[in-house]
């Protein structure tokens, strides 16, 4: 009995990409939530502030996992807008005291 398995190239293996993405999302969510909880225990006394810190950490974890997963699937992450200010050379800057 011979196995006639076709080998899927890594760039087209969607199941492996989803597995990696879910693993990354869960790990970053848990670690950043724990970091937020630890920081909340050290910095805040109010339970509301502590939960807000945990939620903020969870949001950072999910956001960073989303960015990494979008790169993994070939999409481009959100790009920052270019600066609208012209750069002035240092020789043209006037210092007024």
């Amino acid at each position: 009995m011979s196995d006639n398995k076709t080998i899927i190239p890594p760039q087209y293996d969607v199941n492996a990409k989803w597995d990696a993405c879910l693993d990354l999302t869960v790990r970053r969510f848990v670690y950043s939530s724990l970091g937020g909880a630890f920081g909340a225990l050290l910095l805040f006394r109010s339970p509301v502030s502590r939960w807000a810190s945990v939620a903020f950490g969870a949001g950072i974890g999910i956001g960073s996992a989303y960015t990494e997963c979008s790169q993994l699937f070939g999409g481009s992450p959100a790009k920052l807008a270019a600066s609208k200010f012209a750069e002035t050379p240092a020789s043209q800057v006037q210092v007024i005291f």
Side-chain angles (χ1 to χ4, degrees):
M1 295 204 179
S2 65
D3 292 333
N4 292 331
K5 294 183 179 179
T6 58
I7 298 175
I8 301 172
Q11 66 265 25
Y12 299 120
D13 192 8
V14 178
N15 290 332
K17 288 181 182 180
W18 275 108
D19 288 343
C21 190
L22 287 174
D23 179 53
L24 181 72
T25 302
V26 168
R27 279 190 291 123
R28 288 197 179 171
F29 175 77
V30 169
Y31 292 154
S32 61
S33 295
L34 289 174
F38 181 70
L41 286 174
L42 293 176
L43 298 174
F44 303 118
R45 298 181 80 188
S46 167
V48 174
S49 298
R50 287 182 177 175
W51 279 111
S53 178
V54 171
F56 181 73
I60 288 176
I62 288 176
S64 67
Y66 174 78
T67 302
E68 187 95 14
C69 288
S70 80
Q71 290 176 354
L72 182 67
F73 279 104
S76 62
K79 295 181 181 172
L80 298 175
S83 176
K84 295 180 182 178
F85 300 105
E87 303 246 349
T88 305
S91 62
Q92 295 179 358
V93 175
Q94 295 178 356
V95 178
I96 300 173
F97 288 101

